[in-house]
Amino acid sequence: MRATGGQVWTRVCARRNGFPQVIHSSKRFAGPTGLEEYVGYGVCMALRIFVDGSTLLFRSAGFFLQAGRRRLRLPAFLTPGDLTVTHTDLGMGEFRFTLEIVHPRLGKLISQSAMFREATP
């Protein structure tokens, strides 16, 4: 993607009541770890990536505000906390996605888990 310099991801989260929530972001090769996610309005998060067996882990490694080429690292108290995303291969074209955000003072803010299956024509 030319505007953000990365791969654009769009996630639609259905709700029991109300309109679905749509989240757009871009993963790009940049920043202090070499990989970051940009969520718009100048907000980006550095990511570290790990492999544990059949699981791919993405962990937050700092949050930034960006204006042009200038970047300002946000202090920990201005961030949502530690983010961990996993993609676990379950075989047979399926994988489990989990997302967890844990704030150092407020505890677990978000915990999501979903199974996905490869679409067949």
Side-chain angles (χ1 to χ4, degrees), residues 3 9 13-16 19-20 24 27 29 34 37 40 48 52 60 63 72 77 85 90 102 107 114-115 121:
W9 292 51
C13 301
R15 300 176 180 179
R16 288 178 202 241
F19 205 73
H24 301 283
K27 290 215 177 29
F29 296 112
E37 185 151 2
R48 286 199 167 80
D52 182 13
S60 59
F63 293 81
L72 174 66
F77 73 91
V85 170
L90 302 174
V102 179
M115 278 182 39

Side-chain angles (χ1 to χ4, degrees), residues 3-120:
T4 62
Q7 181 185 49
V8 174
W9 292 51
T10 299
R11 296 169 276 319
V12 180
C13 301
R15 300 176 180 179
R16 288 178 202 241
N17 298 315
F19 205 73
Q21 179 181 10
V22 179
I23 302 166
H24 301 283
S25 66
S26 171
K27 290 215 177 29
R28 58 191 184 186
F29 296 112
T33 63
L35 181 65
E36 65 185 19
E37 185 151 2
Y38 178 75
V39 294
Y41 303 103
V43 178
C44 51
M45 169 181 53
L47 296 170
R48 286 199 167 80
I49 189 167
F50 305 90
V51 176
D52 182 13
S54 62
T55 300
L56 190 59
L57 293 105
F58 297 88
R59 291 202 173 117
S60 59
F63 293 81
F64 301 85
L65 287 179
Q66 182 172 346
R69 293 182 168 263
R70 300 194 66 153
R71 298 170 65 95
L72 174 66
R73 184 178 176 105
L74 294 176
F77 73 91
L78 288 178
T79 72
D82 295 322
L83 175 132
T84 302
V85 170
T86 67
H87 294 239
T88 303
D89 182 11
L90 302 174
M92 306 282 292
E94 295 182 344
F95 75 94
R96 177 172 300 285
F97 169 90
T98 64
L99 180 145
E100 187 173 89
I101 298 177
V102 179
H103 189 274
R105 290 203 173 106
L106 302 174
K108 191 182 295 187
L109 299 178
I110 297 174
S111 181
Q112 297 178 338
S113 179
M115 278 182 39
F116 292 90
R117 181 177 307 120
E118 184 176 350
T120 55

